[in-house]
Amino acid sequence: MKFSHIKNDHNPLLTILAGCHGEEPAPVLTIFNYYRDISYTLIEHNVNAVIYPLINPWGFDRNIRFNKEGLSCNSNWTGLISEPTVYEIEVVKKDLINYNPNVFISLHEDDESPNQFYVYTQRQSRFEAMLIATGAQFFSHKT
């Protein structure tokens, strides 16, 4: 399942992924509970978005980390031979090739580090400072 908000091809594209790990419900529930607010914010700031709110529904329904095949839905993004193919991720990877987002955010929950957040960047590191500043309004962060 995905939600998309594409208004103008010239606007930046944000992709959000949640629910890779079934025992991490907070990102999934946040997207569903605040989807209207998220949509209004995207419109207000002229940002296109593709949101995958629940990558691993089987694990989510059972409150377990892995998918039906016992694999992590946060694996095999690189396509390395040593990693098994994860169907849920292959679907998203095909979409990412078509969409080519400016920013890709994979949301997770860490019950061992309450009130903290993490930011990892690869391509658009100029967004890292903005994400940290935004998150720091609500949480402490690790550097």
Side-chain angles (χ1 to χ4, degrees):
M1 170 194 324
K2 68 182 170 189
F3 303 125
S4 59
H5 169 83
I6 309 288
K7 291 292 184 183
N8 182 326
D9 288 341
H10 301 290
N11 291 346
L13 176 62
L14 167 66
T15 298
I16 300 174
L17 181 114
C20 285
H21 299 133
E23 90 288 18
E24 298 177 4
V28 175
L29 298 174
T30 299
I31 289 173
F32 282 119
N33 289 332
Y34 292 97
Y35 184 73
R36 181 175 288 163
D37 294 333
I38 294 167
S39 295
Y40 290 147
T41 302
L42 294 168
I43 292 167
E44 179 183 346
H45 294 283
N46 296 314
V47 174
N48 294 322
V50 177
I51 301 171
Y52 301 87
L54 183 54
I55 295 298
N56 181 10
W58 191 88
F60 182 84
D61 189 47
R62 290 159 179 81
N63 194 35
I64 60 173
R65 187 171 190 82
F66 304 105
N67 69 3
K68 189 174 183 178
E69 288 75 35
L71 301 172
S72 172
C73 289
N74 197 39
S75 296
N76 205 11
W77 285 98
T78 61
L80 296 175
I81 294 171
S82 62
E83 297 177 341
T85 299
V86 179
Y87 172 77
E88 296 87 347
I89 296 305
E90 291 304 309
V91 170
V92 174
K93 283 170 49 175
K94 287 179 185 174
D95 271 358
L96 290 176
I97 291 169
N98 292 329
Y99 290 123
N100 193 24
N102 300 93
V103 177
F104 176 87
I105 299 174
S106 179
L107 299 173
H108 293 268
E109 179 179 352
D110 183 352
D111 62 357
E112 295 175 5
S113 301
N115 300 317
Q116 295 184 353
F117 71 98
Y118 305 86
V119 174
Y120 301 100
T121 60
Q122 289 184 329
R123 290 191 308 159
Q124 299 281 339
S125 61
R126 64 188 172 108
F127 292 109
E128 184 174 345
M130 179 184 64
L131 291 169
I132 290 172
T134 301
Q137 295 174 35
F138 305 98
F139 306 100
S140 62
H141 72 280
K142 293 183 177 182
T143 56

